[in-house]
Amino acid sequence: MDAKLTQSSLAAGVIGLGAMGYQMARHLKEKNFAVTGYDISVEAVAASREIGIAVGDDIAAVGSHADVVIVMVQTDKQVVDVIGPGGLLSAMKPGSVICIASSIAPETCKELERQAAEKNVGVLDTPVVLGQEAANNGTLTVFVGGEAKWLEKARPVLCAFGRDIFHIGPSGTGQIAKTANNMLLWACICANYEALSLARALGADVPTLVSALTHSSGANWSLSRWGKSTGKWAEKDMDVALDLAQSCKLSLPLNGLVDQLMKSMNREKMQSLLA
């Protein structure tokens, strides 16, 4: 990595100052980046300003001041609107980088990378995992898809809130990694819930059992944090795997069932087994 690309020299932007984006911006500020944010929510803007984060008047204003911009909005359409005509690509200088932290379709990332390349702007898909607690603590895992040269420029920014940064491959593969992670996570949650429900019905003390199982061959990340998760998942993320499987004519029967089971899963339901 170029020694010049340090916290003191890189200017960062964050589009989307919700629960995750706010924490990303906070970590960037605390690590001495010049950071500017933007959000359409008055409440999000006010909360960010309270901790000293500068807020741009619009998306282009953020892009014009930043070397690396993190995009953390909800949907493919929002990402395209943020980056496309009238958005970041109209304002960012050549050699700058856009990091798509939102969970969106791999093909959307590839198309935005193509558009940005015409302006010599890099686009990386950089979805994150491990949830809100990791965002709060600055210990997220970041899956990266895109060209290595753009990752090396963006790495100091990603490291401000990410403990582990994995370059998976070309554009879109970061999103594929996030989808694979979600499939495994949700399958584990459903399996954990059924196993713990049976154990409780048979008279076992579930908290004691969970402590024991975390040292067993059935251990998994969800089990180790049982009852601590926010229990909030974007329903669109649950459907992404099935949409991708449909596009390549691959049968995912287990994931289809898990997708349905997860729609009724929440924090209260998980915590009820610990009572």
PDB file of all heavy atoms in Angstrom, residues 159-184:
ATOM      1  N   CYS A 159     -10.383  -0.470   7.371  1.00  0.00           N
ATOM      2  CA  CYS A 159      -9.789  -0.929   8.637  1.00  0.00           C
ATOM      3  C   CYS A 159     -10.218  -0.072   9.820  1.00  0.00           C
ATOM      4  O   CYS A 159     -10.041  -0.484  10.972  1.00  0.00           O
ATOM      5  CB  CYS A 159      -8.268  -0.936   8.530  1.00  0.00           C
ATOM      6  SG  CYS A 159      -7.607  -2.305   7.545  1.00  0.00           S
ATOM      7  N   ALA A 160     -10.778   1.099   9.551  1.00  0.00           N
ATOM      8  CA  ALA A 160     -11.240   1.950  10.653  1.00  0.00           C
ATOM      9  C   ALA A 160     -12.391   1.310  11.410  1.00  0.00           C
ATOM     10  O   ALA A 160     -12.566   1.531  12.608  1.00  0.00           O
ATOM     11  CB  ALA A 160     -11.665   3.321  10.123  1.00  0.00           C
ATOM     12  N   PHE A 161     -13.189   0.502  10.707  1.00  0.00           N
ATOM     13  CA  PHE A 161     -14.330  -0.153  11.364  1.00  0.00           C
ATOM     14  C   PHE A 161     -14.332  -1.659  11.162  1.00  0.00           C
ATOM     15  O   PHE A 161     -15.196  -2.358  11.687  1.00  0.00           O
ATOM     16  CB  PHE A 161     -15.659   0.440  10.865  1.00  0.00           C
ATOM     17  CG  PHE A 161     -15.792   0.491   9.371  1.00  0.00           C
ATOM     18  CD1 PHE A 161     -16.125  -0.645   8.648  1.00  0.00           C
ATOM     19  CD2 PHE A 161     -15.584   1.678   8.684  1.00  0.00           C
ATOM     20  CE1 PHE A 161     -16.251  -0.602   7.268  1.00  0.00           C
ATOM     21  CE2 PHE A 161     -15.702   1.735   7.297  1.00  0.00           C
ATOM     22  CZ  PHE A 161     -16.038   0.591   6.583  1.00  0.00           C
ATOM     23  N   GLY A 162     -13.368  -2.172  10.408  1.00  0.00           N
ATOM     24  CA  GLY A 162     -13.305  -3.607  10.140  1.00  0.00           C
ATOM     25  C   GLY A 162     -12.057  -4.235  10.730  1.00  0.00           C
ATOM     26  O   GLY A 162     -10.952  -3.734  10.525  1.00  0.00           O
ATOM     27  N   ARG A 163     -12.220  -5.319  11.454  1.00  0.00           N
ATOM     28  CA  ARG A 163     -11.067  -6.022  12.031  1.00  0.00           C
ATOM     29  C   ARG A 163     -10.427  -6.954  11.010  1.00  0.00           C
ATOM     30  O   ARG A 163      -9.211  -7.106  10.962  1.00  0.00           O
ATOM     31  CB  ARG A 163     -11.502  -6.815  13.263  1.00  0.00           C
ATOM     32  CG  ARG A 163     -10.357  -7.584  13.941  1.00  0.00           C
ATOM     33  CD  ARG A 163     -10.799  -8.160  15.269  1.00  0.00           C
ATOM     34  NE  ARG A 163     -11.956  -9.051  15.106  1.00  0.00           N
ATOM     35  CZ  ARG A 163     -12.663  -9.527  16.121  1.00  0.00           C
ATOM     36  NH1 ARG A 163     -12.357  -9.173  17.371  1.00  0.00           N
ATOM     37  NH2 ARG A 163     -13.701 -10.334  15.908  1.00  0.00           N
ATOM     38  N   ASP A 164     -11.266  -7.594  10.181  1.00  0.00           N
ATOM     39  CA  ASP A 164     -10.766  -8.532   9.179  1.00  0.00           C
ATOM     40  C   ASP A 164     -11.295  -8.127   7.809  1.00  0.00           C
ATOM     41  O   ASP A 164     -12.517  -7.985   7.629  1.00  0.00           O
ATOM     42  CB  ASP A 164     -11.215  -9.961   9.501  1.00  0.00           C
ATOM     43  CG  ASP A 164     -10.629 -10.465  10.811  1.00  0.00           C
ATOM     44  OD1 ASP A 164      -9.395 -10.495  10.929  1.00  0.00           O
ATOM     45  OD2 ASP A 164     -11.410 -10.818  11.715  1.00  0.00           O
ATOM     46  N   ILE A 165     -10.371  -7.949   6.857  1.00  0.00           N
ATOM     47  CA  ILE A 165     -10.722  -7.551   5.502  1.00  0.00           C
ATOM     48  C   ILE A 165     -10.318  -8.684   4.570  1.00  0.00           C
ATOM     49  O   ILE A 165      -9.129  -9.021   4.480  1.00  0.00           O
ATOM     50  CB  ILE A 165      -9.988  -6.257   5.074  1.00  0.00           C
ATOM     51  CG1 ILE A 165     -10.025  -5.200   6.182  1.00  0.00           C
ATOM     52  CG2 ILE A 165     -10.558  -5.733   3.760  1.00  0.00           C
ATOM     53  CD1 ILE A 165     -11.389  -4.670   6.515  1.00  0.00           C
ATOM     54  N   PHE A 166     -11.274  -9.291   3.871  1.00  0.00           N
ATOM     55  CA  PHE A 166     -10.984 -10.408   2.979  1.00  0.00           C
ATOM     56  C   PHE A 166     -11.288 -10.032   1.532  1.00  0.00           C
ATOM     57  O   PHE A 166     -12.423  -9.692   1.206  1.00  0.00           O
ATOM     58  CB  PHE A 166     -11.820 -11.636   3.364  1.00  0.00           C
ATOM     59  CG  PHE A 166     -11.466 -12.214   4.705  1.00  0.00           C
ATOM     60  CD1 PHE A 166     -12.253 -11.934   5.812  1.00  0.00           C
ATOM     61  CD2 PHE A 166     -10.355 -13.029   4.856  1.00  0.00           C
ATOM     62  CE1 PHE A 166     -11.944 -12.465   7.057  1.00  0.00           C
ATOM     63  CE2 PHE A 166     -10.031 -13.561   6.092  1.00  0.00           C
ATOM     64  CZ  PHE A 166     -10.819 -13.282   7.196  1.00  0.00           C
ATOM     65  N   HIS A 167     -10.259 -10.104   0.672  1.00  0.00           N
ATOM     66  CA  HIS A 167     -10.470  -9.877  -0.756  1.00  0.00           C
ATOM     67  C   HIS A 167     -10.903 -11.197  -1.379  1.00  0.00           C
ATOM     68  O   HIS A 167     -10.090 -12.116  -1.535  1.00  0.00           O
ATOM     69  CB  HIS A 167      -9.182  -9.362  -1.405  1.00  0.00           C
ATOM     70  CG  HIS A 167      -9.386  -8.920  -2.818  1.00  0.00           C
ATOM     71  ND1 HIS A 167      -8.342  -8.723  -3.692  1.00  0.00           N
ATOM     72  CD2 HIS A 167     -10.526  -8.619  -3.517  1.00  0.00           C
ATOM     73  CE1 HIS A 167      -8.815  -8.325  -4.860  1.00  0.00           C
ATOM     74  NE2 HIS A 167     -10.136  -8.258  -4.779  1.00  0.00           N
ATOM     75  N   ILE A 168     -12.166 -11.296  -1.735  1.00  0.00           N
ATOM     76  CA  ILE A 168     -12.720 -12.559  -2.228  1.00  0.00           C
ATOM     77  C   ILE A 168     -12.399 -12.770  -3.703  1.00  0.00           C
ATOM     78  O   ILE A 168     -12.122 -13.884  -4.141  1.00  0.00           O
ATOM     79  CB  ILE A 168     -14.249 -12.593  -2.017  1.00  0.00           C
ATOM     80  CG1 ILE A 168     -14.601 -12.291  -0.540  1.00  0.00           C
ATOM     81  CG2 ILE A 168     -14.816 -13.951  -2.426  1.00  0.00           C
ATOM     82  CD1 ILE A 168     -13.997 -13.256   0.461  1.00  0.00           C
ATOM     83  N   GLY A 169     -12.420 -11.695  -4.494  1.00  0.00           N
ATOM     84  CA  GLY A 169     -12.178 -11.824  -5.923  1.00  0.00           C
ATOM     85  C   GLY A 169     -12.695 -10.612  -6.670  1.00  0.00           C
ATOM     86  O   GLY A 169     -12.758  -9.516  -6.118  1.00  0.00           O
ATOM     87  N   PRO A 170     -13.089 -10.771  -7.933  1.00  0.00           N
ATOM     88  CA  PRO A 170     -13.561  -9.640  -8.747  1.00  0.00           C
ATOM     89  C   PRO A 170     -14.902  -9.091  -8.281  1.00  0.00           C
ATOM     90  O   PRO A 170     -15.528  -9.623  -7.352  1.00  0.00           O
ATOM     91  CB  PRO A 170     -13.646 -10.228 -10.151  1.00  0.00           C
ATOM     92  CG  PRO A 170     -13.799 -11.693  -9.947  1.00  0.00           C
ATOM     93  CD  PRO A 170     -13.037 -12.022  -8.704  1.00  0.00           C
ATOM     94  N   SER A 171     -15.335  -8.040  -8.930  1.00  0.00           N
ATOM     95  CA  SER A 171     -16.580  -7.359  -8.562  1.00  0.00           C
ATOM     96  C   SER A 171     -17.741  -8.334  -8.404  1.00  0.00           C
ATOM     97  O   SER A 171     -17.944  -9.224  -9.228  1.00  0.00           O
ATOM     98  CB  SER A 171     -16.927  -6.320  -9.636  1.00  0.00           C
ATOM     99  OG  SER A 171     -18.130  -5.646  -9.313  1.00  0.00           O
ATOM    100  N   GLY A 172     -18.496  -8.163  -7.337  1.00  0.00           N
ATOM    101  CA  GLY A 172     -19.654  -9.004  -7.061  1.00  0.00           C
ATOM    102  C   GLY A 172     -19.374 -10.143  -6.103  1.00  0.00           C
ATOM    103  O   GLY A 172     -20.295 -10.662  -5.468  1.00  0.00           O
ATOM    104  N   THR A 173     -18.103 -10.544  -5.978  1.00  0.00           N
ATOM    105  CA  THR A 173     -17.810 -11.700  -5.129  1.00  0.00           C
ATOM    106  C   THR A 173     -17.903 -11.377  -3.644  1.00  0.00           C
ATOM    107  O   THR A 173     -18.117 -12.274  -2.829  1.00  0.00           O
ATOM    108  CB  THR A 173     -16.427 -12.310  -5.447  1.00  0.00           C
ATOM    109  OG1 THR A 173     -15.410 -11.316  -5.266  1.00  0.00           O
ATOM    110  CG2 THR A 173     -16.384 -12.839  -6.869  1.00  0.00           C
ATOM    111  N   GLY A 174     -17.758 -10.109  -3.282  1.00  0.00           N
ATOM    112  CA  GLY A 174     -18.005  -9.726  -1.889  1.00  0.00           C
ATOM    113  C   GLY A 174     -19.456  -9.989  -1.512  1.00  0.00           C
ATOM    114  O   GLY A 174     -19.755 -10.498  -0.428  1.00  0.00           O
ATOM    115  N   GLN A 175     -20.355  -9.656  -2.442  1.00  0.00           N
ATOM    116  CA  GLN A 175     -21.783  -9.899  -2.208  1.00  0.00           C
ATOM    117  C   GLN A 175     -22.085 -11.400  -2.172  1.00  0.00           C
ATOM    118  O   GLN A 175     -22.931 -11.851  -1.385  1.00  0.00           O
ATOM    119  CB  GLN A 175     -22.615  -9.217  -3.297  1.00  0.00           C
ATOM    120  CG  GLN A 175     -22.441  -7.711  -3.384  1.00  0.00           C
ATOM    121  CD  GLN A 175     -22.981  -6.962  -2.171  1.00  0.00           C
ATOM    122  OE1 GLN A 175     -23.682  -7.513  -1.327  1.00  0.00           O
ATOM    123  NE2 GLN A 175     -22.655  -5.681  -2.080  1.00  0.00           N
ATOM    124  N   ILE A 176     -21.411 -12.171  -3.017  1.00  0.00           N
ATOM    125  CA  ILE A 176     -21.604 -13.621  -3.000  1.00  0.00           C
ATOM    126  C   ILE A 176     -21.174 -14.192  -1.649  1.00  0.00           C
ATOM    127  O   ILE A 176     -21.855 -15.048  -1.077  1.00  0.00           O
ATOM    128  CB  ILE A 176     -20.822 -14.275  -4.153  1.00  0.00           C
ATOM    129  CG1 ILE A 176     -21.430 -13.867  -5.501  1.00  0.00           C
ATOM    130  CG2 ILE A 176     -20.814 -15.801  -4.023  1.00  0.00           C
ATOM    131  CD1 ILE A 176     -20.581 -14.239  -6.702  1.00  0.00           C
ATOM    132  N   ALA A 177     -20.057 -13.695  -1.124  1.00  0.00           N
ATOM    133  CA  ALA A 177     -19.588 -14.152   0.191  1.00  0.00           C
ATOM    134  C   ALA A 177     -20.592 -13.804   1.279  1.00  0.00           C
ATOM    135  O   ALA A 177     -20.858 -14.615   2.182  1.00  0.00           O
ATOM    136  CB  ALA A 177     -18.226 -13.534   0.509  1.00  0.00           C
ATOM    137  N   LYS A 178     -21.172 -12.610   1.202  1.00  0.00           N
ATOM    138  CA  LYS A 178     -22.167 -12.208   2.193  1.00  0.00           C
ATOM    139  C   LYS A 178     -23.393 -13.110   2.123  1.00  0.00           C
ATOM    140  O   LYS A 178     -23.943 -13.526   3.153  1.00  0.00           O
ATOM    141  CB  LYS A 178     -22.569 -10.743   1.951  1.00  0.00           C
ATOM    142  CG  LYS A 178     -23.725 -10.204   2.816  1.00  0.00           C
ATOM    143  CD  LYS A 178     -23.329 -10.040   4.271  1.00  0.00           C
ATOM    144  CE  LYS A 178     -24.468  -9.468   5.124  1.00  0.00           C
ATOM    145  NZ  LYS A 178     -24.608  -8.002   4.985  1.00  0.00           N
ATOM    146  N   THR A 179     -23.819 -13.450   0.918  1.00  0.00           N
ATOM    147  CA  THR A 179     -24.969 -14.336   0.762  1.00  0.00           C
ATOM    148  C   THR A 179     -24.679 -15.721   1.328  1.00  0.00           C
ATOM    149  O   THR A 179     -25.508 -16.316   2.018  1.00  0.00           O
ATOM    150  CB  THR A 179     -25.364 -14.442  -0.723  1.00  0.00           C
ATOM    151  OG1 THR A 179     -25.789 -13.157  -1.176  1.00  0.00           O
ATOM    152  CG2 THR A 179     -26.497 -15.434  -0.920  1.00  0.00           C
ATOM    153  N   ALA A 180     -23.486 -16.244   1.038  1.00  0.00           N
ATOM    154  CA  ALA A 180     -23.104 -17.558   1.581  1.00  0.00           C
ATOM    155  C   ALA A 180     -23.081 -17.518   3.104  1.00  0.00           C
ATOM    156  O   ALA A 180     -23.552 -18.447   3.778  1.00  0.00           O
ATOM    157  CB  ALA A 180     -21.743 -17.973   1.033  1.00  0.00           C
ATOM    158  N   ASN A 181     -22.555 -16.436   3.654  1.00  0.00           N
ATOM    159  CA  ASN A 181     -22.539 -16.273   5.109  1.00  0.00           C
ATOM    160  C   ASN A 181     -23.954 -16.276   5.672  1.00  0.00           C
ATOM    161  O   ASN A 181     -24.240 -16.937   6.682  1.00  0.00           O
ATOM    162  CB  ASN A 181     -21.832 -14.961   5.472  1.00  0.00           C
ATOM    163  CG  ASN A 181     -21.900 -14.662   6.957  1.00  0.00           C
ATOM    164  OD1 ASN A 181     -21.104 -15.148   7.751  1.00  0.00           O
ATOM    165  ND2 ASN A 181     -22.872 -13.834   7.351  1.00  0.00           N
ATOM    166  N   ASN A 182     -24.840 -15.522   5.028  1.00  0.00           N
ATOM    167  CA  ASN A 182     -26.219 -15.452   5.508  1.00  0.00           C
ATOM    168  C   ASN A 182     -26.907 -16.808   5.461  1.00  0.00           C
ATOM    169  O   ASN A 182     -27.646 -17.177   6.378  1.00  0.00           O
ATOM    170  CB  ASN A 182     -27.011 -14.447   4.665  1.00  0.00           C
ATOM    171  CG  ASN A 182     -26.646 -13.014   4.963  1.00  0.00           C
ATOM    172  OD1 ASN A 182     -25.951 -12.727   5.944  1.00  0.00           O
ATOM    173  ND2 ASN A 182     -27.083 -12.092   4.127  1.00  0.00           N
ATOM    174  N   MET A 183     -26.667 -17.556   4.391  1.00  0.00           N
ATOM    175  CA  MET A 183     -27.274 -18.884   4.274  1.00  0.00           C
ATOM    176  C   MET A 183     -26.849 -19.776   5.445  1.00  0.00           C
ATOM    177  O   MET A 183     -27.675 -20.470   6.047  1.00  0.00           O
ATOM    178  CB  MET A 183     -26.877 -19.523   2.942  1.00  0.00           C
ATOM    179  CG  MET A 183     -27.491 -18.882   1.724  1.00  0.00           C
ATOM    180  SD  MET A 183     -26.789 -19.530   0.177  1.00  0.00           S
ATOM    181  CE  MET A 183     -27.379 -21.237   0.241  1.00  0.00           C
ATOM    182  N   LEU A 184     -25.574 -19.756   5.755  1.00  0.00           N
ATOM    183  CA  LEU A 184     -25.061 -20.578   6.856  1.00  0.00           C
ATOM    184  C   LEU A 184     -25.575 -20.080   8.207  1.00  0.00           C
ATOM    185  O   LEU A 184     -25.976 -20.867   9.079  1.00  0.00           O
ATOM    186  CB  LEU A 184     -23.534 -20.570   6.841  1.00  0.00           C
ATOM    187  CG  LEU A 184     -22.886 -21.277   5.639  1.00  0.00           C
ATOM    188  CD1 LEU A 184     -21.403 -20.944   5.574  1.00  0.00           C
ATOM    189  CD2 LEU A 184     -23.096 -22.780   5.732  1.00  0.00           C
TER     190      LEU A 184
END
